[in-house]
């Protein structure tokens, strides 16, 4: 083989070095981990890996990838995607006990995509894209079809740069029944340039990550401004992973946390490809006197930021600074509580919501949503998006919204009724929430009877209704000054902030589990048995009566039956035949 | 006319350059056009120049043996056609090179990957875009009539080979022996990923920069000698090349060491492997043949023609196999519904295959190849149509499940009484014979 290659080499006449070429588009990687103790004693860890690529992904021809993964880059250029957000979540974020989340995701799988305006057939592209993503992430996203896809008009505005916002280019689907496990984590980790070999990703061990109350992994792709003047566009890929460690199952009741206790690993080095690699620990103290929380090893710097309307302090560990690993080769961040925590006041979040199904029987029911606004003096509007499957037939004339006993009319309603087996219900409303109030939204529905092949293999488990989405610009108590996206930590630049007086929040309610009238699936077997018996007994005996002939028979001596009968008679003590 | 190359270029303007055509120019034996000792010159395009023999008698008969050799070198032979049908011939009858080239397909995806298992020590940069544009793209443009190509590249970090190399004290270097090469590819393939967006077969070309502790790394062939290009290829998959870096003294340079890959060396090897993987191989030529090198495109016109001949034959064979298996499937499972568009695809495939064979017989290579491509497309579309999976709504087990509970209890007494009647009829037939 080597000889053939040598001969062929002799035949090739190659050019000299090519003429001067422009360098490849620059790309950069930032990684960060945020540890925030929650008011209930649990600990939330949020990983963010952000790859930024200064390139135009939609040009024709060859594409060359370095830090941006090839699988996602090819998807974006083939399907002309402008924004893609996919999240896989297990568990539910309890806003009332844990506080406002940085980035919440609904239970199950959620996918929403903005396409470019040059796409001709958005539905076909959506179907192919969801099928390919299903293969890439080993999730059953191929169950996304027209019966669970909606086109929201007001709720999911683009999070990146956008000049055209025709909402027909947006598709949104949720699969509440989807389960997240290790086989979804592995392809997610494969997209990281350093894999799980170096940097913060070494902490991502599946057996610890799934031993949590809440596990959410997400992929967000969007175009952003390359610099302040915004003359050119870069692509940003953010991979986020949020887990909440339960104090009782992992900490055994003690509220001291450390990286080793949570992840059974410690950090030894930063990813060599990352331009920034930091660990932030939330050490905002609630009381003014002493600090409640002690962090070891001592942080080299402290960062103050106003996040979600609150001024918070963070201890920063910069993995790229050489002085961090001077003392020991591995970094194990430990949090110790100095005083018992029951004196901590739990500040209720400004906006939280709850949803439940009420009613009795298998014919009708009612969906109720309660939205709480705990701000003492400010009122703000919230957009509520509800997607209800077609087999729960909503009656919009029974929609009632009450606040503090009085009726509250929404200023914008968009309702798209369902079509059987084709399209779900879509209800979008803009509701004004007065200060310090509870708003109750109720709507009645009727349960439909499905065809017998449409039931799932476990129909008595129930059918899921996807979580409803609340999007709001919540007014903040303090003034927040807008910071430069490149300098600030990643968790502050998730949502674009318009001004300093309010921050954007997207909340999801619980998914609902509704029982539909279920037929008895053993009926075909019952019918067969019954028919068989009836025909055999009735018809058989009738036929015999009609066609039996009687004739005299000589008594025969012997035979197996006679001998068997004689044995039984001997046992009974009766004379034999 | 000073050199034969200039003559060839000038003559090109005179001939009409049809696909599959071949022109042989016979020059007098004493002509100084061909260099001394060279009897035949094979050019870059579809022509050859040969010396005529000066003997008495029929000139054509004298040179026919030579012309036969030229045609066999520049166009197809029985062996090359058998190679194209190699998937349908039992394996022991052919050589080992026949399974190397890719099967005929409508398109190919080529991916160049740079594997850097040690990013802390090496900061590797490669100017792949310019290299692809200047070396690979002209070759693929020349092959544009054969298939569609798309080229990608990526850099993978922390991707290790599956085999840990042995340390050889004699050369103070690390060695990958030929026996361990088959085990190298599997762990890497999981990282490479398949193309998310197309169904075409993928060719992978990997450039591996060994870790600092495993430098330098050489590949040994079966005889124990180090391979000159430090690369190997795997049939129907792609190629791997190991790129060694010179390390300066340990304390002089700070880590990571910046490395700029010499793309000329790398692209030479990859282009050679690309030619082999497409089945463009060297034929053994007699001594006095002078072969012109392919130039910037990497492919001569007559090599392209050879590829097209073999591809056409392979396509027609594929069409016949596909349609035959579809017919056999329909014979076995009589319940399958064939929709009208599937039927029209089958008719179109058969018609195109017949056109292709007619065109091949008359020597029109271009139209034969197009017809064979259309035939393959139609036959694949007909065979893999998802509507073939719907059987007629009356499967056999449902027939049993519904009718047996109704008819079996009814049938048993009737059958028993029929048996009784037959027995009585036989007895009554015997009776009259007895009593009489």
């Amino acid at each position: 083989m080597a000889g053939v290659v040598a001969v062929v080499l002799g035949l090739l006449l190659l050019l000299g070095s090519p003429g001067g070429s422009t360098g490849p588009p620059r790309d950069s990687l930032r990684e960060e981990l945020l540890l925030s103790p929650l008011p209930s004693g649990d600990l939330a860890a949020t990983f963010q890996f952000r790859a930024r690529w200064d390139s135009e992904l939609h040009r024709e021809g060859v594409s060359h990838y370095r830090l941006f993964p090839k699988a996602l880059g090819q998807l974006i250029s083939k399907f002309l995607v402008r924004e893609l957000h996919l999240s896989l979540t297990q568990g539910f974020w309890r806003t009332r006990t844990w506080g406002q989340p940085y980035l919440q995701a609904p239970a199950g799988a959620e996918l929403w995509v903005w396409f470019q305006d040059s796409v001709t057939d958005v539905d076909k592209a959506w179907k192919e894209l969801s099928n390919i993503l299903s293969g890439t992430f080993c999730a059953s996203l191929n169950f996304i079809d027209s019966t669970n896809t909606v086109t929201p008009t007001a709720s999911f505005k683009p999070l990146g740069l956008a000049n055209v916002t025709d909402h027909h280019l947006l598709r949104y689907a949720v699969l509440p029944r989807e389960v997240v496990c290790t086989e979804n984590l592995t392809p997610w980790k494969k997209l990281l340039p350093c894999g799980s070999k170096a940097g913060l990703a070494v902490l991502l061990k599946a057996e610890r990550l799934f031993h949590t109350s809440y596990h959410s992994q997400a992929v967000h792709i969007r175009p952003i401004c390359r610099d302040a003047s915004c003359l050119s566009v870069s692509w940003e890929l953010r991979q986020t992973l949020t887990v909440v460690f339960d104090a009782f199952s992992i900490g055994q009741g003690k509220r001291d946390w450390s990286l080793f206790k949570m992840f059974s690993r410690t950090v030894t080095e930063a990813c060599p490809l990352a331009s920034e690699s930091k660990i932030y620990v939330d050490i905002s103290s609630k009381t003014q006197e002493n600090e409640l929380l002690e962090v070891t090893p001592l942080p080299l710097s402290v960062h103050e930021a106003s996040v979600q309307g609150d001024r918070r302090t963070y201890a920063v560990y910069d993995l790229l600074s050489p002085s961090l690993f001077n003392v020991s080769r591995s970094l194990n961040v430990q949090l110790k509580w100095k005083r018992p925590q029951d004196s901590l006041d739990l500040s209720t979040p400004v906006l939280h919501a709850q949803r439940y199904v009420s009613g009795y029987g298998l014919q009708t029911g009612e969906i109720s949503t309660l939205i709480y606004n705990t701000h003492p003096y400010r009122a703000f509007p919230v957009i509520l998006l509800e997607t209800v499957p077609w087999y729960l037939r909503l009656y919009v004339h029974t929609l009632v919204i009450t606040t503090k006993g009085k009726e509250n009319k929404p200023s914008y309603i968009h309702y798209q009724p369902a079509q059987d087996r084709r399209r779900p219900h879509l209800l979008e409303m803009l509701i004004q929430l007065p200060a310090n109030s509870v708003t109750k939204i109720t709507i009645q529905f009727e349960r439909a009877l499905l065809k017998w092949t449409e039931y799932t293999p476990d129909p008595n488990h129930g059918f899921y209704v996807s979580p409803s989405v609340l999007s709001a610009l919540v007014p903040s108590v303090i003034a927040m000054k807008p910071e430069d996206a490149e300098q600030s930590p990643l968790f502050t630049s998730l949502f674009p902030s318009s001004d300093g007086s309010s921050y954007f929040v997207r909340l999801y309610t619980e998914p609902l589990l509704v029982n539909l009238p279920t037929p008895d699936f053993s009926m075909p077997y019952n019918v067969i048995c019954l028919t068989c018996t009836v025909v055999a007994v009735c018809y058989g005996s009738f036929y015999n009566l009609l066609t039996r002939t009687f004739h005299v028979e000589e008594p025969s001596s012997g035979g197996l039956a006679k001998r068997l009968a004689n044995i039984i008679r001997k046992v009974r003590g009766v004379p034999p035949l | 006319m000073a050199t034969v190359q200039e003559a060839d270029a000038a003559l090109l303007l005179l001939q009409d350059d049809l696909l599959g055509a071949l022109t042989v120019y016979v020059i007098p034996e004493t002509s100084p056009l061909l260099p001394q000792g060279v009897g035949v010159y094979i050019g870059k395009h579809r022509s050859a120049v040969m010396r005529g023999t000066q003997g008495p008698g029929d000139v054509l008969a004298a040179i026919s043996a030579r012309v036969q050799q030229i045609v066999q070198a520049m166009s197809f032979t029985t062996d090359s056609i058998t190679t194209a049908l190699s998937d349908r011939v039992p394996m022991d009858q052919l050589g080992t090179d026949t399974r190397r080239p890719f099967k005929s397909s409508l398109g190919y995806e080529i991916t160049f990957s740079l594997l850097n298992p040690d990013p802390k020590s090496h900061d590797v940069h490669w100017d792949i875009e310019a290299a692809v544009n200047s070396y690979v793209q002209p070759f693929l443009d020349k092959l544009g009539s054969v298939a569609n190509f798309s080229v990608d590249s990526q850099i993978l970090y922390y991707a290790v080979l599956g085999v840990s190399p042995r340390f050889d004290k004699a050369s103070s270097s690390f060695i990958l022996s030929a026996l361990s090469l088959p085990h190298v590819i599997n762990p890497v393939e999981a990282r490479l990923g398949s193309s998310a967006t197309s169904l075409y077969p993928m060719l992978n070309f990997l450039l591996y920069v060994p870790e600092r502790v495993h430098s330098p790394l050489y590949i040994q062939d079966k005889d124990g000698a180090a391979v000159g290009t430090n690369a190997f290829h795997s049939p129907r998959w792609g190629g791997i090349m190991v790129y060694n870096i010179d390390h300066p003294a340990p304390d002089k340079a700070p880590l990571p060491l910046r490395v700029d890959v010499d793309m000329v060396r790398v692209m030479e090897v990859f282009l050679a492997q690309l030619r082999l993987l497409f089945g463009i191989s060297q034929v053994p030529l007699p001594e006095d043949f002078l072969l012109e090198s392919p130039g910037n495109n990497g492919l001569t016109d007559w090599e392209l023609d050879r590829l097209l001949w073999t591809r056409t034959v392979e396509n027609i064979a594929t069409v016949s196999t596909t349609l035959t298996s579809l017919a056999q499937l329909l014979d076995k499972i009589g319940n399958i519904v064939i929709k009208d568009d599937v039927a029209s695809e089958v008719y179109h495939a058969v018609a195109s295959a017949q056109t292709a064979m007619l065109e091949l017989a008359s020597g029109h290579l271009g139209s034969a190849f197009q017809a064979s491509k259309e035939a393959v497309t139609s036959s694949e579309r007909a065979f893999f149509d998802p509507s073939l999976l719907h059987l007629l709504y009356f499967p056999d087990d449902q027939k049993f499940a519904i009718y047996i509970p109704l008819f079996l209890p009814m049938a048993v007494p009737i059958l028993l009484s029929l048996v009784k009647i037959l027995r009585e009829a036989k007895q009554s037939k015997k009776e009259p014979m007895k009593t009489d």
Side-chain angles (χ1 to χ4, degrees), chain A residues 1 4 7-9 11-16 18 21 59 62-66 70 74 78 132 190 193-194 197-198 269 272-273 528 531-532 535-536 539 543, chain B residues 111 120 127-130 134-135 151-155 157-158 190 195-197 202 233 268 275-276 282 293-296 298 401 405-406 409-410 413-414 417:
Chain A
M1 210 280 319
V4 178
V7 169
V8 174
L9 283 183
L11 295 178
L12 293 176
L13 174 70
L14 292 166
L15 297 171
S21 51
R59 63 193 172 108
V62 199
S63 338
H64 304 281
Y65 301 95
R66 199 185 134 231
K70 179 165 87 103
Q74 282 178 329
K78 178 165 184 210
I132 292 186
K190 226 165 60 153
C194 273
K197 306 273 176 57
E269 55 171 350
L273 307 164
I528 291 176
T531 318
C532 216
V535 170
Y539 176 79
Y543 180 83
Chain B
T111 305
K120 265 173 68 171
D127 192 5
I128 183 70
E129 185 162 357
S134 35
Y135 300 129
V151 182
D152 268 310
S153 82
Q154 57 180 344
I155 305 188
Y157 297 97
Y158 292 102
S195 167
T197 48
M202 236 173 102
H233 74 271
E268 273 181 4
R275 278 172 59 104
L276 285 173
Q282 183 78 338
S293 72
N296 299 345
L406 278 178
M410 276 203 252
I414 295 179
S417 27

Side-chain angles (χ1 to χ4, degrees), chain A residues 188-371:
Chain A
W188 187 93
K189 279 200 290 190
K190 226 165 60 153
L191 296 174
L192 300 171
C194 273
S196 45
K197 306 273 176 57
L200 290 173
V202 297
L203 297 174
L204 299 175
K205 286 289 157 208
E207 72 229 340
R208 305 299 297 175
L209 286 180
F210 287 100
H211 205 56
T212 53
S213 326
Y214 175 81
H215 171 102
S216 169
Q217 63 195 53
V219 169
H220 303 277
I221 302 176
R222 59 181 182 173
I224 56 172
C225 289
R226 202 172 291 188
D227 47 22
S229 61
C230 219
L231 289 167
S232 43
V233 167
S234 309
W235 285 90
E236 180 192 74
L237 163 70
R238 275 191 200 229
Q239 289 179 252
T240 65
L241 187 107
T242 309
V243 282
V244 173
F245 289 97
D246 192 5
F248 287 105
S249 60
I250 300 191
Q252 280 111 28
K254 284 186 290 214
R255 288 198 182 101
D256 295 336
W257 295 100
S258 73
L259 278 185
F260 188 77
K261 206 171 174 188
M262 291 190 286
F263 301 107
S264 71
R265 296 287 299 263
T266 55
V267 182
T268 48
E269 55 171 350
C271 176
L273 307 164
S275 58
E276 204 180 294
S277 180
K278 290 189 176 152
I279 299 183
Y280 290 89
V281 184
D282 187 351
I283 53 174
S284 330
S285 47
K286 296 293 182 218
T287 68
Q288 260 68 18
E289 311 131 20
N290 265 332
E291 282 184 359
L292 287 179
L293 189 58
E294 183 198 334
V295 183
T296 49
L298 227 46
L300 297 168
S301 64
V302 164
H303 179 89
E304 288 217 353
S306 45
V307 173
Q308 292 191 336
D310 222 358
R311 188 157 292 283
R312 305 247 182 106
T313 322
Y314 298 94
V316 183
Y317 297 90
D318 190 353
L319 295 174
L320 287 173
S321 74
S323 52
L324 188 66
F325 292 108
N326 270 348
V327 179
S328 70
R329 281 204 58 205
S330 70
L331 173 67
N332 184 16
V333 178
Q334 290 175 320
L335 292 88
K336 285 208 204 14
W337 293 97
K338 285 201 192 149
R339 260 197 281 154
Q341 214 190 338
D342 38 35
S343 56
L344 201 66
D345 57 351
L346 304 160
S347 59
T348 47
V350 177
L351 174 69
H352 58 99
Q354 206 185 341
R355 191 170 71 149
Y356 54 89
V357 163
S358 51
Y360 60 90
L362 285 176
Q363 193 182 357
T364 53
E366 185 178 72
I367 299 180
S368 312
T369 313
L370 295 170
I371 310 182

Side-chain angles (χ1 to χ4, degrees), chain A residues 428-449:
Chain A
E428 264 187 290
M429 297 186 285
L430 178 66
I431 305 170
Q432 187 79 9
L433 301 178
N436 211 2
S437 64
V438 177
T439 307
K440 183 166 178 181
I441 304 155
T442 57
I443 185 165
Q444 290 181 1
F445 64 87
E446 193 182 67
R447 301 172 212 229
L449 187 64

